[in-house]
Amino acid sequence: MKVTIICDNEVKKQGLQADWSFSCLVEAGKTPPILFDTGASGSVLLHNMEGLGIAPDAIGIIVISHPHWDHTGGLHDILELNKNAEIYLPASFGVAPPGRKVVMVGKATQIGENVFSTGELRGIEQSLAISTDKGILVVAGCSHPGVGEIIDAASSFGKVYGIVGGFHGFDDFQRLDGLSLICPCHCTQYKSEIKLIFPEKCLECGAGMVLEL
């Protein structure tokens, strides 16, 4: 299982562009490649995908965590280049792209083999829960429902091993105690504090970072 950060506020690979946004590619077993969120800018998304060797038409599934501009800005551009990907949107997203296979997610939903949506939590955001040999890896967009609530929802699929994504203003750091991997990205307000508390578990996020489990 592999997660490649495509868009983030920071850059970990030369030649990529930083942007206030989040997007990543999830490759999990037999499930088609998943584009989770599309960043804020189509041009940055496609530039970074090219720099990472990710072909737009190779994406099999697109999942949007929540309908904020810094996670949906590249959606139109990727859909122009990819005509076949299934799309999973939170139920509150609004108008779905016409002429596409779209699933509006309310409750917890299986997206692929060993890949699940937590369901739309608190009426705004869904996260991914990916089953790996080490446990469940959570991929979150901004964690508006709260990191703790997302971890609790993901734990219905198994013991949570780690979490990667935006944590927003999350500061209940004890909720991370049982995790083995913590990768705060994008909008996380307390990155430095999390790194200080969990120095051996915390990874620095950035466009181009690759996480393999």
Side-chain angles (χ1 to χ4, degrees):
M1 198 286 297
K2 181 165 74 171
V3 176
T4 303
I5 306 299
I6 300 172
C7 296
D8 188 62
N9 304 12
E10 301 179 26
V11 168
K12 293 298 180 185
K13 181 178 179 181
Q14 187 175 3
L16 303 185
Q17 297 177 8
D19 195 18
W20 179 270
S21 64
F22 188 71
S23 176
C24 67
L25 180 72
V26 175
E27 297 172 273
K30 297 179 181 179
T31 298
I34 300 171
L35 181 66
F36 180 80
D37 286 340
T38 62
S41 161
S43 62
V44 173
L45 175 71
L46 295 177
H47 171 86
N48 286 0
M49 288 178 69
E50 182 178 6
L52 292 165
I54 302 170
D57 60 1
I59 303 298
I61 298 170
I62 297 171
V63 177
I64 299 296
S65 63
H66 64 294
H68 288 176
W69 62 272
D70 47 341
H71 298 258
T72 63
L75 182 58
H76 173 78
D77 295 74
I78 194 71
L79 292 181
E80 285 291 302
L81 298 173
N82 183 312
K83 304 298 184 182
N84 299 310
E86 297 180 10
I87 306 169
Y88 288 77
L89 303 175
S92 64
F93 189 86
V95 180
R100 305 299 295 256
K101 181 177 180 181
V102 178
V103 177
M104 305 302 289
V105 178
K107 298 180 180 180
T109 301
Q110 184 164 5
I111 291 175
E113 184 178 3
N114 297 323
V115 181
F116 306 87
S117 166
T118 59
E120 186 185 47
L121 304 179
R122 299 208 176 201
I124 185 173
E125 186 172 346
Q126 64 176 327
S127 300
L128 291 182
I130 305 162
S131 180
T132 77
D133 292 339
K134 295 183 178 180
I136 298 295
L137 177 69
V138 177
V139 181
C142 270
S143 298
H144 289 291
V147 170
E149 184 165 338
I150 292 170
I151 290 173
D152 288 344
S155 68
S156 67
F157 304 106
K159 181 175 173 56
V160 176
Y161 173 80
I163 184 169
V164 54
F167 297 176
H168 226 284
F170 167 76
D171 61 1
D172 185 12
F173 305 128
Q174 290 184 342
R175 289 305 310 266
L176 303 175
D177 279 343
L179 304 186
S180 299
L181 184 151
I182 305 163
C183 185
C185 305
H186 177 38
C187 59
T188 306
Q189 185 174 347
Y190 297 108
K191 285 183 182 179
S192 58
E193 289 84 350
I194 293 171
K195 184 177 180 181
L196 183 64
I197 297 169
F198 304 101
E200 296 181 358
K201 301 179 180 180
C202 188
L203 301 179
E204 293 188 7
C205 192
M209 188 200 83
V210 177
L211 172 63
E212 295 190 71
L213 293 180

PDB file of all heavy atoms in Angstrom, residues 164-200:
ATOM      1  N   VAL A 164      -2.682  10.178   8.181  1.00  0.00           N
ATOM      2  CA  VAL A 164      -1.988  11.169   7.358  1.00  0.00           C
ATOM      3  C   VAL A 164      -3.023  12.133   6.801  1.00  0.00           C
ATOM      4  O   VAL A 164      -4.118  11.728   6.403  1.00  0.00           O
ATOM      5  CB  VAL A 164      -1.182  10.487   6.222  1.00  0.00           C
ATOM      6  CG1 VAL A 164      -2.058   9.570   5.390  1.00  0.00           C
ATOM      7  CG2 VAL A 164      -0.498  11.514   5.328  1.00  0.00           C
ATOM      8  N   GLY A 165      -2.686  13.418   6.802  1.00  0.00           N
ATOM      9  CA  GLY A 165      -3.601  14.418   6.249  1.00  0.00           C
ATOM     10  C   GLY A 165      -3.631  15.674   7.094  1.00  0.00           C
ATOM     11  O   GLY A 165      -2.817  15.868   8.005  1.00  0.00           O
ATOM     12  N   GLY A 166      -4.587  16.539   6.793  1.00  0.00           N
ATOM     13  CA  GLY A 166      -4.724  17.786   7.528  1.00  0.00           C
ATOM     14  C   GLY A 166      -5.464  17.573   8.842  1.00  0.00           C
ATOM     15  O   GLY A 166      -6.472  16.878   8.887  1.00  0.00           O
ATOM     16  N   PHE A 167      -4.951  18.190   9.920  1.00  0.00           N
ATOM     17  CA  PHE A 167      -5.550  18.047  11.255  1.00  0.00           C
ATOM     18  C   PHE A 167      -6.244  19.324  11.714  1.00  0.00           C
ATOM     19  O   PHE A 167      -6.787  19.368  12.819  1.00  0.00           O
ATOM     20  CB  PHE A 167      -4.485  17.683  12.292  1.00  0.00           C
ATOM     21  CG  PHE A 167      -3.803  16.361  12.084  1.00  0.00           C
ATOM     22  CD1 PHE A 167      -2.766  15.983  12.914  1.00  0.00           C
ATOM     23  CD2 PHE A 167      -4.179  15.491  11.065  1.00  0.00           C
ATOM     24  CE1 PHE A 167      -2.115  14.763  12.751  1.00  0.00           C
ATOM     25  CE2 PHE A 167      -3.536  14.274  10.884  1.00  0.00           C
ATOM     26  CZ  PHE A 167      -2.492  13.914  11.725  1.00  0.00           C
ATOM     27  N   HIS A 168      -6.142  20.394  10.931  1.00  0.00           N
ATOM     28  CA  HIS A 168      -6.728  21.699  11.281  1.00  0.00           C
ATOM     29  C   HIS A 168      -6.250  22.131  12.667  1.00  0.00           C
ATOM     30  O   HIS A 168      -5.074  22.073  12.943  1.00  0.00           O
ATOM     31  CB  HIS A 168      -8.256  21.651  11.176  1.00  0.00           C
ATOM     32  CG  HIS A 168      -8.810  22.843  10.441  1.00  0.00           C
ATOM     33  ND1 HIS A 168      -8.904  24.089  11.013  1.00  0.00           N
ATOM     34  CD2 HIS A 168      -9.284  22.962   9.185  1.00  0.00           C
ATOM     35  CE1 HIS A 168      -9.407  24.940  10.142  1.00  0.00           C
ATOM     36  NE2 HIS A 168      -9.643  24.291   9.016  1.00  0.00           N
ATOM     37  N   GLY A 169      -7.159  22.552  13.569  1.00  0.00           N
ATOM     38  CA  GLY A 169      -6.744  23.066  14.880  1.00  0.00           C
ATOM     39  C   GLY A 169      -6.703  22.021  15.975  1.00  0.00           C
ATOM     40  O   GLY A 169      -6.714  22.368  17.160  1.00  0.00           O
ATOM     41  N   PHE A 170      -6.632  20.772  15.606  1.00  0.00           N
ATOM     42  CA  PHE A 170      -6.618  19.670  16.569  1.00  0.00           C
ATOM     43  C   PHE A 170      -5.500  19.841  17.590  1.00  0.00           C
ATOM     44  O   PHE A 170      -4.343  20.030  17.229  1.00  0.00           O
ATOM     45  CB  PHE A 170      -6.444  18.353  15.813  1.00  0.00           C
ATOM     46  CG  PHE A 170      -6.113  17.171  16.676  1.00  0.00           C
ATOM     47  CD1 PHE A 170      -7.093  16.564  17.443  1.00  0.00           C
ATOM     48  CD2 PHE A 170      -4.823  16.669  16.721  1.00  0.00           C
ATOM     49  CE1 PHE A 170      -6.792  15.461  18.237  1.00  0.00           C
ATOM     50  CE2 PHE A 170      -4.513  15.576  17.505  1.00  0.00           C
ATOM     51  CZ  PHE A 170      -5.501  14.975  18.269  1.00  0.00           C
ATOM     52  N   ASP A 171      -5.861  19.773  18.890  1.00  0.00           N
ATOM     53  CA  ASP A 171      -4.844  19.891  19.937  1.00  0.00           C
ATOM     54  C   ASP A 171      -5.035  18.900  21.089  1.00  0.00           C
ATOM     55  O   ASP A 171      -4.379  19.015  22.127  1.00  0.00           O
ATOM     56  CB  ASP A 171      -4.796  21.319  20.485  1.00  0.00           C
ATOM     57  CG  ASP A 171      -6.111  21.761  21.110  1.00  0.00           C
ATOM     58  OD1 ASP A 171      -7.070  20.953  21.137  1.00  0.00           O
ATOM     59  OD2 ASP A 171      -6.195  22.915  21.569  1.00  0.00           O
ATOM     60  N   ASP A 172      -5.922  17.916  20.905  1.00  0.00           N
ATOM     61  CA  ASP A 172      -6.103  16.871  21.912  1.00  0.00           C
ATOM     62  C   ASP A 172      -5.101  15.761  21.631  1.00  0.00           C
ATOM     63  O   ASP A 172      -5.445  14.648  21.219  1.00  0.00           O
ATOM     64  CB  ASP A 172      -7.544  16.347  21.867  1.00  0.00           C
ATOM     65  CG  ASP A 172      -7.846  15.334  22.954  1.00  0.00           C
ATOM     66  OD1 ASP A 172      -7.019  15.194  23.876  1.00  0.00           O
ATOM     67  OD2 ASP A 172      -8.898  14.665  22.872  1.00  0.00           O
ATOM     68  N   PHE A 173      -3.830  16.069  21.857  1.00  0.00           N
ATOM     69  CA  PHE A 173      -2.746  15.215  21.388  1.00  0.00           C
ATOM     70  C   PHE A 173      -2.771  13.810  21.973  1.00  0.00           C
ATOM     71  O   PHE A 173      -2.218  12.880  21.374  1.00  0.00           O
ATOM     72  CB  PHE A 173      -1.405  15.887  21.670  1.00  0.00           C
ATOM     73  CG  PHE A 173      -1.292  17.277  21.099  1.00  0.00           C
ATOM     74  CD1 PHE A 173      -0.906  18.346  21.885  1.00  0.00           C
ATOM     75  CD2 PHE A 173      -1.606  17.520  19.761  1.00  0.00           C
ATOM     76  CE1 PHE A 173      -0.808  19.626  21.357  1.00  0.00           C
ATOM     77  CE2 PHE A 173      -1.521  18.793  19.233  1.00  0.00           C
ATOM     78  CZ  PHE A 173      -1.120  19.851  20.038  1.00  0.00           C
ATOM     79  N   GLN A 174      -3.397  13.627  23.133  1.00  0.00           N
ATOM     80  CA  GLN A 174      -3.467  12.297  23.730  1.00  0.00           C
ATOM     81  C   GLN A 174      -4.212  11.308  22.845  1.00  0.00           C
ATOM     82  O   GLN A 174      -3.989  10.101  22.944  1.00  0.00           O
ATOM     83  CB  GLN A 174      -4.137  12.368  25.103  1.00  0.00           C
ATOM     84  CG  GLN A 174      -3.283  13.049  26.166  1.00  0.00           C
ATOM     85  CD  GLN A 174      -3.933  13.018  27.532  1.00  0.00           C
ATOM     86  OE1 GLN A 174      -5.142  12.789  27.659  1.00  0.00           O
ATOM     87  NE2 GLN A 174      -3.151  13.256  28.567  1.00  0.00           N
ATOM     88  N   ARG A 175      -5.097  11.805  21.977  1.00  0.00           N
ATOM     89  CA  ARG A 175      -5.829  10.924  21.070  1.00  0.00           C
ATOM     90  C   ARG A 175      -4.899  10.222  20.083  1.00  0.00           C
ATOM     91  O   ARG A 175      -5.291   9.262  19.429  1.00  0.00           O
ATOM     92  CB  ARG A 175      -6.892  11.702  20.293  1.00  0.00           C
ATOM     93  CG  ARG A 175      -8.090  12.169  21.096  1.00  0.00           C
ATOM     94  CD  ARG A 175      -8.784  11.019  21.833  1.00  0.00           C
ATOM     95  NE  ARG A 175      -9.076   9.870  21.007  1.00  0.00           N
ATOM     96  CZ  ARG A 175     -10.226   9.647  20.392  1.00  0.00           C
ATOM     97  NH1 ARG A 175     -11.203  10.521  20.495  1.00  0.00           N
ATOM     98  NH2 ARG A 175     -10.421   8.553  19.675  1.00  0.00           N
ATOM     99  N   LEU A 176      -3.668  10.697  19.950  1.00  0.00           N
ATOM    100  CA  LEU A 176      -2.700  10.111  19.026  1.00  0.00           C
ATOM    101  C   LEU A 176      -1.789   9.098  19.701  1.00  0.00           C
ATOM    102  O   LEU A 176      -0.968   8.456  19.037  1.00  0.00           O
ATOM    103  CB  LEU A 176      -1.840  11.213  18.394  1.00  0.00           C
ATOM    104  CG  LEU A 176      -2.591  12.317  17.636  1.00  0.00           C
ATOM    105  CD1 LEU A 176      -1.615  13.398  17.168  1.00  0.00           C
ATOM    106  CD2 LEU A 176      -3.356  11.751  16.451  1.00  0.00           C
ATOM    107  N   ASP A 177      -1.923   8.935  21.014  1.00  0.00           N
ATOM    108  CA  ASP A 177      -0.993   8.096  21.785  1.00  0.00           C
ATOM    109  C   ASP A 177      -0.880   6.672  21.261  1.00  0.00           C
ATOM    110  O   ASP A 177       0.207   6.107  21.222  1.00  0.00           O
ATOM    111  CB  ASP A 177      -1.427   8.053  23.263  1.00  0.00           C
ATOM    112  CG  ASP A 177      -0.967   9.279  24.037  1.00  0.00           C
ATOM    113  OD1 ASP A 177      -0.064   9.984  23.549  1.00  0.00           O
ATOM    114  OD2 ASP A 177      -1.512   9.519  25.128  1.00  0.00           O
ATOM    115  N   GLY A 178      -1.995   6.072  20.860  1.00  0.00           N
ATOM    116  CA  GLY A 178      -1.968   4.675  20.463  1.00  0.00           C
ATOM    117  C   GLY A 178      -1.552   4.428  19.032  1.00  0.00           C
ATOM    118  O   GLY A 178      -1.486   3.268  18.594  1.00  0.00           O
ATOM    119  N   LEU A 179      -1.261   5.488  18.284  1.00  0.00           N
ATOM    120  CA  LEU A 179      -0.903   5.336  16.872  1.00  0.00           C
ATOM    121  C   LEU A 179       0.592   5.099  16.710  1.00  0.00           C
ATOM    122  O   LEU A 179       1.403   5.538  17.520  1.00  0.00           O
ATOM    123  CB  LEU A 179      -1.318   6.576  16.085  1.00  0.00           C
ATOM    124  CG  LEU A 179      -2.796   6.975  16.154  1.00  0.00           C
ATOM    125  CD1 LEU A 179      -3.055   8.132  15.197  1.00  0.00           C
ATOM    126  CD2 LEU A 179      -3.705   5.796  15.832  1.00  0.00           C
ATOM    127  N   SER A 180       0.956   4.427  15.634  1.00  0.00           N
ATOM    128  CA  SER A 180       2.365   4.168  15.332  1.00  0.00           C
ATOM    129  C   SER A 180       2.914   5.098  14.267  1.00  0.00           C
ATOM    130  O   SER A 180       4.125   5.190  14.077  1.00  0.00           O
ATOM    131  CB  SER A 180       2.544   2.712  14.877  1.00  0.00           C
ATOM    132  OG  SER A 180       2.155   1.817  15.891  1.00  0.00           O
ATOM    133  N   LEU A 181       2.019   5.775  13.548  1.00  0.00           N
ATOM    134  CA  LEU A 181       2.435   6.674  12.469  1.00  0.00           C
ATOM    135  C   LEU A 181       1.518   7.889  12.461  1.00  0.00           C
ATOM    136  O   LEU A 181       0.294   7.754  12.473  1.00  0.00           O
ATOM    137  CB  LEU A 181       2.378   5.953  11.127  1.00  0.00           C
ATOM    138  CG  LEU A 181       2.865   6.712   9.892  1.00  0.00           C
ATOM    139  CD1 LEU A 181       3.420   5.737   8.867  1.00  0.00           C
ATOM    140  CD2 LEU A 181       1.740   7.522   9.255  1.00  0.00           C
ATOM    141  N   ILE A 182       2.134   9.072  12.457  1.00  0.00           N
ATOM    142  CA  ILE A 182       1.391  10.334  12.448  1.00  0.00           C
ATOM    143  C   ILE A 182       2.038  11.240  11.412  1.00  0.00           C
ATOM    144  O   ILE A 182       3.234  11.526  11.487  1.00  0.00           O
ATOM    145  CB  ILE A 182       1.436  11.011  13.831  1.00  0.00           C
ATOM    146  CG1 ILE A 182       0.926  10.058  14.919  1.00  0.00           C
ATOM    147  CG2 ILE A 182       0.624  12.301  13.822  1.00  0.00           C
ATOM    148  CD1 ILE A 182       1.318  10.480  16.324  1.00  0.00           C
ATOM    149  N   CYS A 183       1.253  11.680  10.444  1.00  0.00           N
ATOM    150  CA  CYS A 183       1.803  12.535   9.390  1.00  0.00           C
ATOM    151  C   CYS A 183       0.880  13.738   9.185  1.00  0.00           C
ATOM    152  O   CYS A 183      -0.037  13.701   8.370  1.00  0.00           O
ATOM    153  CB  CYS A 183       1.963  11.742   8.101  1.00  0.00           C
ATOM    154  SG  CYS A 183       2.760  12.671   6.761  1.00  0.00           S
ATOM    155  N   PRO A 184       1.100  14.825   9.948  1.00  0.00           N
ATOM    156  CA  PRO A 184       0.259  16.015   9.825  1.00  0.00           C
ATOM    157  C   PRO A 184       0.622  16.832   8.583  1.00  0.00           C
ATOM    158  O   PRO A 184       1.787  17.154   8.360  1.00  0.00           O
ATOM    159  CB  PRO A 184       0.554  16.782  11.108  1.00  0.00           C
ATOM    160  CG  PRO A 184       1.931  16.357  11.514  1.00  0.00           C
ATOM    161  CD  PRO A 184       2.107  14.957  11.002  1.00  0.00           C
ATOM    162  N   CYS A 185      -0.375  17.150   7.785  1.00  0.00           N
ATOM    163  CA  CYS A 185      -0.163  17.846   6.516  1.00  0.00           C
ATOM    164  C   CYS A 185      -0.968  19.144   6.461  1.00  0.00           C
ATOM    165  O   CYS A 185      -1.681  19.512   7.409  1.00  0.00           O
ATOM    166  CB  CYS A 185      -0.592  16.944   5.353  1.00  0.00           C
ATOM    167  SG  CYS A 185       0.179  15.311   5.301  1.00  0.00           S
ATOM    168  N   HIS A 186      -0.844  19.839   5.342  1.00  0.00           N
ATOM    169  CA  HIS A 186      -1.715  20.920   4.913  1.00  0.00           C
ATOM    170  C   HIS A 186      -2.062  21.919   6.019  1.00  0.00           C
ATOM    171  O   HIS A 186      -1.234  22.700   6.424  1.00  0.00           O
ATOM    172  CB  HIS A 186      -2.968  20.310   4.270  1.00  0.00           C
ATOM    173  CG  HIS A 186      -4.010  21.279   3.822  1.00  0.00           C
ATOM    174  ND1 HIS A 186      -3.702  22.487   3.241  1.00  0.00           N
ATOM    175  CD2 HIS A 186      -5.364  21.221   3.874  1.00  0.00           C
ATOM    176  CE1 HIS A 186      -4.820  23.139   2.944  1.00  0.00           C
ATOM    177  NE2 HIS A 186      -5.845  22.377   3.329  1.00  0.00           N
ATOM    178  N   CYS A 187      -3.290  21.851   6.536  1.00  0.00           N
ATOM    179  CA  CYS A 187      -3.844  22.889   7.410  1.00  0.00           C
ATOM    180  C   CYS A 187      -3.531  22.682   8.881  1.00  0.00           C
ATOM    181  O   CYS A 187      -4.038  23.425   9.727  1.00  0.00           O
ATOM    182  CB  CYS A 187      -5.362  22.947   7.217  1.00  0.00           C
ATOM    183  SG  CYS A 187      -6.167  21.354   7.598  1.00  0.00           S
ATOM    184  N   THR A 188      -2.724  21.689   9.228  1.00  0.00           N
ATOM    185  CA  THR A 188      -2.464  21.373  10.634  1.00  0.00           C
ATOM    186  C   THR A 188      -1.826  22.550  11.344  1.00  0.00           C
ATOM    187  O   THR A 188      -0.735  23.000  10.980  1.00  0.00           O
ATOM    188  CB  THR A 188      -1.554  20.143  10.759  1.00  0.00           C
ATOM    189  OG1 THR A 188      -2.120  19.059  10.017  1.00  0.00           O
ATOM    190  CG2 THR A 188      -1.395  19.733  12.214  1.00  0.00           C
ATOM    191  N   GLN A 189      -2.496  23.036  12.385  1.00  0.00           N
ATOM    192  CA  GLN A 189      -2.027  24.229  13.095  1.00  0.00           C
ATOM    193  C   GLN A 189      -0.855  23.915  14.020  1.00  0.00           C
ATOM    194  O   GLN A 189       0.042  24.744  14.203  1.00  0.00           O
ATOM    195  CB  GLN A 189      -3.177  24.828  13.903  1.00  0.00           C
ATOM    196  CG  GLN A 189      -2.842  26.144  14.594  1.00  0.00           C
ATOM    197  CD  GLN A 189      -4.056  26.754  15.266  1.00  0.00           C
ATOM    198  OE1 GLN A 189      -5.192  26.335  15.032  1.00  0.00           O
ATOM    199  NE2 GLN A 189      -3.820  27.750  16.110  1.00  0.00           N
ATOM    200  N   TYR A 190      -0.853  22.724  14.605  1.00  0.00           N
ATOM    201  CA  TYR A 190       0.134  22.416  15.647  1.00  0.00           C
ATOM    202  C   TYR A 190       1.127  21.344  15.190  1.00  0.00           C
ATOM    203  O   TYR A 190       1.426  20.402  15.927  1.00  0.00           O
ATOM    204  CB  TYR A 190      -0.595  21.973  16.914  1.00  0.00           C
ATOM    205  CG  TYR A 190      -1.477  23.047  17.498  1.00  0.00           C
ATOM    206  CD1 TYR A 190      -2.862  22.940  17.419  1.00  0.00           C
ATOM    207  CD2 TYR A 190      -0.944  24.183  18.102  1.00  0.00           C
ATOM    208  CE1 TYR A 190      -3.693  23.926  17.941  1.00  0.00           C
ATOM    209  CE2 TYR A 190      -1.758  25.177  18.622  1.00  0.00           C
ATOM    210  CZ  TYR A 190      -3.137  25.044  18.536  1.00  0.00           C
ATOM    211  OH  TYR A 190      -3.944  26.031  19.045  1.00  0.00           O
ATOM    212  N   LYS A 191       1.665  21.522  13.996  1.00  0.00           N
ATOM    213  CA  LYS A 191       2.629  20.546  13.483  1.00  0.00           C
ATOM    214  C   LYS A 191       3.847  20.419  14.392  1.00  0.00           C
ATOM    215  O   LYS A 191       4.289  19.309  14.691  1.00  0.00           O
ATOM    216  CB  LYS A 191       3.094  20.950  12.078  1.00  0.00           C
ATOM    217  CG  LYS A 191       2.107  20.723  10.978  1.00  0.00           C
ATOM    218  CD  LYS A 191       2.733  21.106   9.628  1.00  0.00           C
ATOM    219  CE  LYS A 191       1.762  20.952   8.484  1.00  0.00           C
ATOM    220  NZ  LYS A 191       2.377  21.354   7.200  1.00  0.00           N
ATOM    221  N   SER A 192       4.413  21.548  14.798  1.00  0.00           N
ATOM    222  CA  SER A 192       5.639  21.508  15.590  1.00  0.00           C
ATOM    223  C   SER A 192       5.409  20.850  16.941  1.00  0.00           C
ATOM    224  O   SER A 192       6.264  20.106  17.439  1.00  0.00           O
ATOM    225  CB  SER A 192       6.203  22.924  15.775  1.00  0.00           C
ATOM    226  OG  SER A 192       5.247  23.773  16.402  1.00  0.00           O
ATOM    227  N   GLU A 193       4.234  21.104  17.542  1.00  0.00           N
ATOM    228  CA  GLU A 193       3.922  20.480  18.824  1.00  0.00           C
ATOM    229  C   GLU A 193       3.767  18.970  18.686  1.00  0.00           C
ATOM    230  O   GLU A 193       4.249  18.199  19.526  1.00  0.00           O
ATOM    231  CB  GLU A 193       2.638  21.085  19.408  1.00  0.00           C
ATOM    232  CG  GLU A 193       2.778  22.504  19.910  1.00  0.00           C
ATOM    233  CD  GLU A 193       2.622  23.545  18.814  1.00  0.00           C
ATOM    234  OE1 GLU A 193       2.584  23.165  17.618  1.00  0.00           O
ATOM    235  OE2 GLU A 193       2.546  24.736  19.142  1.00  0.00           O
ATOM    236  N   ILE A 194       3.092  18.534  17.614  1.00  0.00           N
ATOM    237  CA  ILE A 194       2.918  17.098  17.385  1.00  0.00           C
ATOM    238  C   ILE A 194       4.269  16.417  17.166  1.00  0.00           C
ATOM    239  O   ILE A 194       4.535  15.340  17.701  1.00  0.00           O
ATOM    240  CB  ILE A 194       1.979  16.867  16.182  1.00  0.00           C
ATOM    241  CG1 ILE A 194       0.561  17.338  16.521  1.00  0.00           C
ATOM    242  CG2 ILE A 194       1.960  15.393  15.782  1.00  0.00           C
ATOM    243  CD1 ILE A 194      -0.379  17.363  15.334  1.00  0.00           C
ATOM    244  N   LYS A 195       5.124  17.072  16.409  1.00  0.00           N
ATOM    245  CA  LYS A 195       6.457  16.501  16.158  1.00  0.00           C
ATOM    246  C   LYS A 195       7.268  16.420  17.446  1.00  0.00           C
ATOM    247  O   LYS A 195       8.012  15.459  17.667  1.00  0.00           O
ATOM    248  CB  LYS A 195       7.191  17.346  15.121  1.00  0.00           C
ATOM    249  CG  LYS A 195       8.543  16.772  14.712  1.00  0.00           C
ATOM    250  CD  LYS A 195       9.198  17.603  13.625  1.00  0.00           C
ATOM    251  CE  LYS A 195      10.542  17.008  13.226  1.00  0.00           C
ATOM    252  NZ  LYS A 195      11.205  17.827  12.172  1.00  0.00           N
ATOM    253  N   LEU A 196       7.121  17.419  18.315  1.00  0.00           N
ATOM    254  CA  LEU A 196       7.860  17.439  19.577  1.00  0.00           C
ATOM    255  C   LEU A 196       7.386  16.333  20.516  1.00  0.00           C
ATOM    256  O   LEU A 196       8.194  15.677  21.182  1.00  0.00           O
ATOM    257  CB  LEU A 196       7.684  18.809  20.251  1.00  0.00           C
ATOM    258  CG  LEU A 196       8.461  19.039  21.554  1.00  0.00           C
ATOM    259  CD1 LEU A 196       9.962  19.006  21.288  1.00  0.00           C
ATOM    260  CD2 LEU A 196       8.058  20.377  22.180  1.00  0.00           C
ATOM    261  N   ILE A 197       6.060  16.097  20.547  1.00  0.00           N
ATOM    262  CA  ILE A 197       5.497  15.087  21.437  1.00  0.00           C
ATOM    263  C   ILE A 197       5.736  13.675  20.917  1.00  0.00           C
ATOM    264  O   ILE A 197       5.967  12.747  21.695  1.00  0.00           O
ATOM    265  CB  ILE A 197       3.985  15.334  21.627  1.00  0.00           C
ATOM    266  CG1 ILE A 197       3.752  16.690  22.299  1.00  0.00           C
ATOM    267  CG2 ILE A 197       3.342  14.226  22.463  1.00  0.00           C
ATOM    268  CD1 ILE A 197       2.300  17.127  22.289  1.00  0.00           C
ATOM    269  N   PHE A 198       5.692  13.524  19.591  1.00  0.00           N
ATOM    270  CA  PHE A 198       5.820  12.184  18.975  1.00  0.00           C
ATOM    271  C   PHE A 198       6.984  12.160  17.978  1.00  0.00           C
ATOM    272  O   PHE A 198       6.781  11.897  16.782  1.00  0.00           O
ATOM    273  CB  PHE A 198       4.517  11.810  18.266  1.00  0.00           C
ATOM    274  CG  PHE A 198       3.294  11.845  19.134  1.00  0.00           C
ATOM    275  CD1 PHE A 198       2.419  12.922  19.079  1.00  0.00           C
ATOM    276  CD2 PHE A 198       3.012  10.801  19.999  1.00  0.00           C
ATOM    277  CE1 PHE A 198       1.281  12.960  19.872  1.00  0.00           C
ATOM    278  CE2 PHE A 198       1.874  10.820  20.801  1.00  0.00           C
ATOM    279  CZ  PHE A 198       1.008  11.904  20.741  1.00  0.00           C
ATOM    280  N   PRO A 199       8.207  12.407  18.421  1.00  0.00           N
ATOM    281  CA  PRO A 199       9.331  12.532  17.477  1.00  0.00           C
ATOM    282  C   PRO A 199       9.618  11.278  16.669  1.00  0.00           C
ATOM    283  O   PRO A 199      10.082  11.375  15.529  1.00  0.00           O
ATOM    284  CB  PRO A 199      10.517  12.887  18.393  1.00  0.00           C
ATOM    285  CG  PRO A 199      10.135  12.339  19.739  1.00  0.00           C
ATOM    286  CD  PRO A 199       8.648  12.520  19.826  1.00  0.00           C
ATOM    287  N   GLU A 200       9.349  10.096  17.235  1.00  0.00           N
ATOM    288  CA  GLU A 200       9.671   8.853  16.534  1.00  0.00           C
ATOM    289  C   GLU A 200       8.531   8.372  15.646  1.00  0.00           C
ATOM    290  O   GLU A 200       8.734   7.497  14.799  1.00  0.00           O
ATOM    291  CB  GLU A 200      10.035   7.765  17.545  1.00  0.00           C
ATOM    292  CG  GLU A 200      11.296   8.088  18.340  1.00  0.00           C
ATOM    293  CD  GLU A 200      11.655   6.998  19.327  1.00  0.00           C
ATOM    294  OE1 GLU A 200      10.900   6.011  19.421  1.00  0.00           O
ATOM    295  OE2 GLU A 200      12.695   7.130  20.007  1.00  0.00           O
TER     296      GLU A 200
END
